Amino acid sequence: MESAIFVTRTSRLHHWNPTYSRLYYGQEFCERLVPSEADLITVSEFVSQNRVNSFTFVTPFVTEKGYEKLTGLVPLLDELFPGCEVAINDWGVFSYFMEHGGHPVVLGRLLTKQKRGPRILNLTDKIPEAALDHFKMAAVDSPIMTSFLRQNSVGRVELDNLLFGIKREKQDLAASLYYPYGYISTTRICLFSSWGKRHPRAIAACAKECREKQVRLTHRSMPVPLILKGNAIFYEKKELPEDLESLNIDRLVYQPEVPAG
Amino acid sequence: MNIMSPVSSANEVDDLMEAGARELYCGVLSRGWSADYTNIAAPNRREWTVSNLKDLMELKNVIALAHSWKGKVNLVLNALYTRKQYPKLCEFLKEVRPMNPDAVIVADPGLMLLIRQMRWDIPIHASTGCTVFNVRAARFFHQMGATRVIFPRQNTVSEMVDLAGKIDFMEKEAFIFNSGCRNIDGFCTFHHGVNEVLKKDSWKLLKKLGLDFRFLTMLRRLPRSTAIKLTRAVDCMPDSACLLNYKVEFDKGGDDPDTKALKSWLESGFNFFFGLDTCGSCALYKLYHAGIDAVKIVGRENPTDKKLRDIRYIAGMLKYLEEKKPGEEEFKSVCRKEYGRVFGYPCGCWCYYPEVLEGEKL
């Protein structure tokens, strides 16, 4: 079992320790937080100094502007981290890296399509087994998608540790499992950035307030507390599935903090 | 530019077409599907029974009626399908094919591949669930067989104008009215339809009578702060998890005035009031001139009178745009006046694309 740690900021590299064999670094949810060239250089130096064996660069969904910013980083990525793995959360970025080559691509958790809404926990005895099984599976594990990904040399998918369990088959692609935070939803209409603006639906300019603020959301119909950080909502689940091998999960990705902001 | 209207019953088709719709979209939730999966894992992302046609016979009728008006019917299959659903899905597609729908709206690349594997040459519309925020993503779905891209609600108008100029290889569609979800549809993994499972027929009746829509309309006539206070005070348990009255607690601190103000702002963002129907009509000017092919009115579950009012309003504004050829500021001003006249309350701040109203100053 490979053990990885995922940090979203250079200031959080201190969470690394040698028990991990892989470092994930980057952003899934916000193009405004795509690392700068200076950040990549800092991470590269950290990787050399700390003998980090393996590195995964995590990329978010992107608008045209974000696409330019992200692909503008790739020459430096090629130079500093030749052949590193890239986790993709946007089909446009997927297509770019397919053409660019040189980096193994893994399908990020925004594209692997697990339904994660916690309220399913309130329904486990009220819906048929087929429906519950459906929610334990990821759309990306359908044979037609697995075959498509294999044809495109994608050998790994990134999954969340679902509150209501995971169902996979041995022939599915190898998977990484993120813990203890699972993402539920994300937006560009960030409540932190629209604070004080006239329009609650504004995709407003921001001062990266998300980096400092994190709140818990509770409601009597929600079986677990939700965590709102920046433009994304998460749940927390610490217990891992018992038989990871039978689920073809061969990598655990630990998030020391909620991975937004 | 076509108006794409929701339809949830064959009885609505003539009225919707007469009101000005050129394309209809609908989903089907059959007894066979819901026996295994209930409404909550419906084959499309409107997981309420009332939003859907009840069976394939009704779909056949909808298609025949719409075609008699020379209109189009786009079948919504924009759920994300897992392994065991595929045999049922294949069976469904085989039954639908001879009915000649004009397009299918798809979010799952797996289903796009399946349709093309079946050698079914039907136009595929890449659903908002495909999260196309950049040209390269549009090209990806085009290569998967899609012929139209439906932009996510969370592209700004200027981003859509830019994308429309670059995407000359597909048709383009934008959202224009109702259900301005705050979360990105294609990246949101909350469930809809939970209340229908828990409350069964009482929930179906509430939806069928459109009581939630009518309650929201009542709220809209109140000052915004009063409406927010009211919906925070009365926990009416909406179905959408993003509209629940969450209690907000900071992990650290929370006693300083700034944090208290932020907490109050965040709490005001989580309530039923946020489900108010949004309007993007002011953006029609830019979308029309950018060559957007269709604009979508959301709300398959809405009562027919609401659907008709929405279509007539948008059709009227499009007609004004095409015939009078106004400047943008004049058009926006006419939109707002007309909105107040048609709906009986001002549009206020419930914009799909607030940057258009504010002249990009956000």
Side-chain angles (χ1 to χ4, degrees):
Chain A
M1 182 66 58
E2 188 178 12
S3 182
I5 186 169
F6 177 16
V7 298
T8 57
R9 305 157 67 172
T10 53
S11 61
R12 299 299 191 262
L13 287 167
H14 63 85
H15 287 293
W16 169 268
N17 71 58
T19 61
Y20 299 108
S21 53
R22 176 176 290 272
L23 173 67
Y24 275 56
Y25 170 73
Q27 283 288 335
E28 297 164 287
F29 304 106
C30 186
E31 67 184 30
R32 293 176 182 173
L33 299 173
V34 166
S36 64
E37 289 194 352
D39 290 333
L40 269 192
I41 291 166
T42 302
V43 175
S44 160
E45 287 166 358
F46 180 87
V47 162
S48 306
Q49 286 160 11
N50 291 275
R51 297 181 187 166
V52 176
N53 289 335
S54 308
F55 179 72
T56 300
F57 183 56
V58 183
T59 62
F61 67 93
V62 286
T63 63
E64 281 290 273
K65 194 174 163 187
Y67 179 86
E68 293 303 320
K69 186 176 172 185
L70 183 64
T71 54
L73 271 183
V74 173
L76 187 63
L77 186 76
D78 292 342
E79 184 188 325
L80 299 177
F81 301 97
C84 77
E85 187 177 86
V86 181
I88 304 281
N89 288 292
D90 181 299
W91 287 113
V93 178
F94 174 86
S95 169
Y96 169 86
F97 274 99
M98 285 295 110
E99 190 175 299
H100 179 76
H103 297 277
V105 161
V106 300
L107 210 61
R109 57 182 168 166
L110 268 67
L111 297 183
T112 49
K113 305 300 179 189
Q114 296 168 292
K115 284 291 257 187
R116 301 163 170 94
R119 287 185 301 172
I120 286 295
L121 290 173
N122 299 338
L123 306 180
T124 49
D125 58 347
K126 293 179 179 66
I127 57 177
E129 198 179 339
L132 192 55
D133 279 355
H134 163 72
F135 290 124
K136 291 177 179 178
M137 295 184 216
V140 78
D141 284 335
S142 66
I144 200 162
M145 276 306 288
T146 302
S147 164
F148 167 78
L149 292 172
R150 283 208 172 101
Q151 281 165 20
N152 284 281
S153 307
V154 177
R156 172 174 300 279
V157 295
E158 309 287 277
L159 299 176
D160 269 323
N161 185 19
L162 296 176
L163 288 164
F164 29 90
I166 293 177
K167 201 167 171 98
R168 301 191 83 225
E169 293 187 4
K170 197 73 188 155
Q171 70 269 24
D172 293 335
L173 291 177
S176 315
L177 191 72
Y178 288 48
Y179 77 103
Y181 302 110
Y183 113 83
I184 303 173
S185 197
T186 187
T187 180
R188 290 182 75 202
I189 305 169
C190 176
L191 273 172
F192 288 95
S193 71
S194 62
W195 179 29
K197 309 284 194 312
R198 195 172 100 81
H199 284 282
R201 279 189 52 83
I203 300 175
C206 77
K208 300 179 182 171
E209 294 88 346
C210 53
R211 300 219 125 163
E212 308 308 326
K213 308 277 188 195
Q214 173 176 317
V215 298
R216 272 177 196 265
L217 308 175
T218 52
H219 187 273
R220 64 193 161 94
S221 73
M222 192 55 72
V224 297
L226 306 181
I227 303 163
L228 172 67
K229 184 154 192 214
N231 65 341
I233 296 176
F234 301 82
Y235 62 84
E236 183 174 7
K237 183 183 181 188
K238 289 176 180 159
E239 307 76 31
L240 293 170
E242 279 180 9
D243 193 0
L244 294 167
E245 198 179 328
S246 70
L247 299 170
N248 205 14
I249 292 168
D250 61 2
R251 182 189 293 173
L252 293 174
V253 182
Y254 174 64
Q255 303 153 102
E257 296 177 17
V258 179
Chain B
M1 180 184 270
N2 284 348
I3 295 174
M4 168 86 99
S5 166
V7 61
S8 55
S9 159
N11 296 332
E12 294 179 322
V13 175
D14 287 338
D15 289 341
L16 299 176
M17 299 307 292
E18 190 174 23
R22 291 291 165 267
E23 299 183 43
L24 302 177
Y25 65 97
C26 55
V28 178
L29 179 57
S30 66
R31 277 171 189 267
W33 187 282
S34 49
D36 282 345
Y37 296 108
T38 72
N39 63 293
I40 201 173
N44 63 76
R45 288 172 69 87
R46 263 316 199 242
E47 293 94 342
W48 303 302
T49 304
V50 70
S51 307
N52 285 280
L53 304 179
K54 61 180 181 301
D55 54 31
L56 288 174
M57 186 52 75
E58 190 167 26
L59 174 65
K60 194 174 175 180
N61 291 339
V62 166
I63 293 170
L65 284 166
H67 284 178
S68 73
W69 284 84
K70 302 204 182 316
K72 292 182 174 178
V73 177
N74 305 322
L75 177 64
V76 190
L77 285 168
N78 63 349
L80 301 161
Y81 307 98
T82 51
R83 179 188 298 115
K84 287 186 180 168
Q85 291 181 320
Y86 269 80
K88 228 177 189 48
L89 198 54
C90 284
E91 198 181 305
F92 181 82
L93 293 174
K94 281 178 193 159
E95 287 185 75
V96 164
R97 192 170 178 171
M99 297 178 188
N100 294 319
D102 297 279
V104 281
I105 301 174
V106 177
D108 191 328
L111 179 57
M112 290 185 191
L113 291 166
L114 177 68
I115 289 169
R116 292 308 180 224
Q117 270 182 17
M118 290 169 72
R119 301 189 185 282
W120 187 8
D121 196 23
I122 187 170
I124 296 174
H125 295 180
S127 156
T128 184
C130 292
T131 54
V132 172
F133 286 102
N134 56 70
V135 179
R136 193 98 188 201
R139 199 173 292 284
F140 170 82
F141 284 106
H142 182 56
Q143 285 163 356
M144 300 291 275
T147 52
R148 178 186 288 187
V149 56
I150 304 170
F151 290 128
R153 292 169 171 86
Q154 295 193 11
N155 273 311
T156 64
V157 172
S158 55
E159 285 166 350
M160 284 190 280
V161 169
D162 177 43
L163 289 171
K166 295 171 181 169
I167 302 171
D168 57 0
F169 47 88
M170 292 170 96
E171 292 180 346
K172 281 84 62 180
E173 181 180 316
F175 284 84
I176 207 69
F177 219 75
N178 298 337
S179 298
C181 307
R182 187 172 48 224
N183 293 324
I184 297 169
D185 203 325
F187 292 140
C188 182
T189 74
F190 278 123
H191 301 84
H192 292 151
V194 173
N195 281 355
E196 187 168 321
V197 175
L198 290 172
K199 296 171 187 170
K200 299 195 166 37
D201 290 344
S202 58
W203 174 259
K204 282 190 202 169
L205 182 66
L206 183 150
K207 282 300 240 187
K208 203 170 180 77
L209 296 174
L211 291 185
D212 48 351
F213 154 71
R214 295 186 201 286
F215 178 58
L216 283 170
T217 304
M218 182 274 288
L219 284 177
R220 192 138 189 187
R221 295 172 197 274
L222 301 174
R224 186 177 165 218
S225 57
T226 311
I228 288 175
K229 274 181 197 151
L230 182 66
T231 51
R232 290 289 304 178
V234 183
D235 191 353
C236 44
M237 291 279 284
D239 186 59
S240 301
C242 52
L243 303 180
L244 292 171
N245 275 356
Y246 291 105
K247 185 179 171 195
V248 172
E249 293 168 298
F250 281 81
D251 279 7
K252 286 180 276 184
D255 293 331
D256 60 289
D258 264 7
T259 309
K260 279 183 182 166
L262 177 58
K263 174 179 154 72
S264 170
W265 166 253
L266 294 174
E267 286 188 337
S268 76
F270 290 108
N271 67 75
F272 196 35
F273 192 50
F274 243 90
L276 273 182
D277 290 328
T278 36
C279 171
S281 60
C282 286
L284 275 173
Y285 182 92
K286 282 197 166 87
L287 298 173
Y288 176 82
H289 289 290
I292 299 292
D293 298 276
V295 286
K296 172 169 272 163
I297 296 172
V298 189
R300 282 189 262 153
E301 63 285 356
N302 278 339
T304 309
D305 61 335
K306 159 76 173 156
K307 286 176 185 148
L308 292 174
R309 205 175 311 148
D310 295 349
I311 296 171
R312 287 184 187 129
Y313 169 64
I314 296 294
M317 295 324 303
L318 265 179
K319 190 174 175 206
Y320 185 85
L321 191 56
E322 285 167 355
E323 291 180 0
K324 304 278 183 189
K325 304 196 184 327
E328 185 176 8
E329 289 310 311
E330 179 196 339
F331 180 72
K332 281 157 50 174
S333 167
V334 172
C335 273
R336 288 201 288 280
K337 269 190 211 145
E338 190 59 8
Y339 185 99
R341 190 189 68 76
V342 172
F343 296 99
Y345 42 79
C347 59
C349 59
W350 299 105
C351 301
Y352 246 114
Y353 309 109
E355 74 280 4
V356 175
L357 193 64
E358 295 290 304
E360 308 285 333
K361 288 179 209 150
L362 286 173

